[in-house]
Amino acid sequence: MKIFVATHNAHKLREISQILPGLEVAADDPEGVEETAPDFVGNAFIKVRAIAARHPGAWCMADDSGLEVDALDGAPGVRSARYAGEPSDSARNNALLLKNLEGASDRSAHFTCAIALIAPDGTEHLAVGRCFGKIALSPSGAGGFGYDPLFLPEGFATSFAELSADAKNAISHRGRALAEVRRILGGRQSA
Ligand code: IMP
């Protein structure tokens, strides 16, 4: 079974193939499509609808994810990639996050990953995964990407950036959303 994924990111495509073995995964870049929704679910559907129009009768999916910090009223949220401005820069985003949390007693945060799917018959499906934790006082670890060096997942003394890819996938927002995608596709393998 083939599925089109709305991304230009080879790393994301590889990760999806690893978590969804047996699927033929093909990228289709939704370039130029504006992510104007106020939340991850809305943006995931904007992207998947854009590519599904080009692949009638095929499975299509798109994801949108980011970090929400309680003490910052859910920021960075849908602006996670560009929290410190354009172009997207993880080191600057992390520095701004630490600055905005200076003196905060509550450092609770969670990642969300929303994956929108369109089936060959046109029906729409949604898988959402979350991972709760806290923002560290300083970065640690060299793995992962984005806010990983600052995110301490619940039940762990280490940051996401200190976990192996497999260990992170087992508990991450993306890993959890993709596990749900596997359940959705498992029941409907056609086309
Ligand atoms: P995307 O929607 O998956 O491209 O993610 C948007 C932004 O959210 C990324 O650029 C990162 O800043 C942040 N983000 C999403 N997932 C993760 C993660 O697993 N670790 C760290 N940062 C993440």
Side-chain angles (χ1 to χ4, degrees):
M1 185 170 86
K2 186 170 184 174
I3 187 163
F4 290 92
V5 181
T7 187
H8 59 268
N9 183 331
H11 172 88
K12 210 175 250 183
L13 211 60
R14 210 170 30 249
E15 191 178 296
I16 292 168
S17 312
Q18 282 164 359
I19 300 179
L20 301 173
L23 272 188
E24 188 189 340
V25 179
D28 184 0
D29 190 348
E31 211 194 336
V33 170
E34 299 235 11
E35 299 179 32
T36 50
D39 52 34
F40 304 116
V41 171
N43 283 329
F45 273 112
I46 287 175
K47 288 185 274 187
V48 77
R49 286 175 190 142
I51 69 157
R54 297 196 277 258
H55 308 288
W59 276 99
C60 293
M61 69 178 256
D63 76 315
D64 199 51
S65 60
L67 177 70
E68 293 172 288
V69 179
D70 294 4
L72 303 176
D73 293 327
V78 290
R79 298 190 54 244
S80 288
R82 282 163 281 275
Y83 188 40
E86 306 257 11
S88 177
D89 181 326
S90 293
R92 285 199 305 134
N93 289 341
N94 285 342
L96 179 61
L97 181 57
L98 284 179
K99 182 169 169 290
N100 289 346
L101 276 177
E102 266 170 24
S105 53
D106 179 7
R107 302 181 75 88
S108 308
H110 62 275
F111 278 110
T112 298
C113 175
I115 300 181
L117 295 138
I118 297 186
D121 66 3
T123 54
E124 296 188 339
H125 304 266
L126 173 66
V128 177
R130 291 200 170 80
C131 183
F132 290 85
K134 288 200 178 316
I135 302 303
L137 292 169
S138 58
S140 56
F145 71 102
Y147 298 95
D148 279 354
L150 287 181
F151 187 74
L152 308 174
E154 227 166 57
F156 288 74
T158 53
S159 78
F160 258 177
E162 293 172 287
L163 298 181
S164 68
D166 281 349
K168 182 184 165 187
N169 283 342
I171 59 164
S172 79
H173 47 308
R174 197 168 299 98
R176 287 177 173 151
L178 282 168
E180 179 61 20
V181 168
R182 200 166 46 210
R183 276 190 288 276
I184 292 170
L185 295 177
R188 298 179 178 78
Q189 295 214 348
S190 62

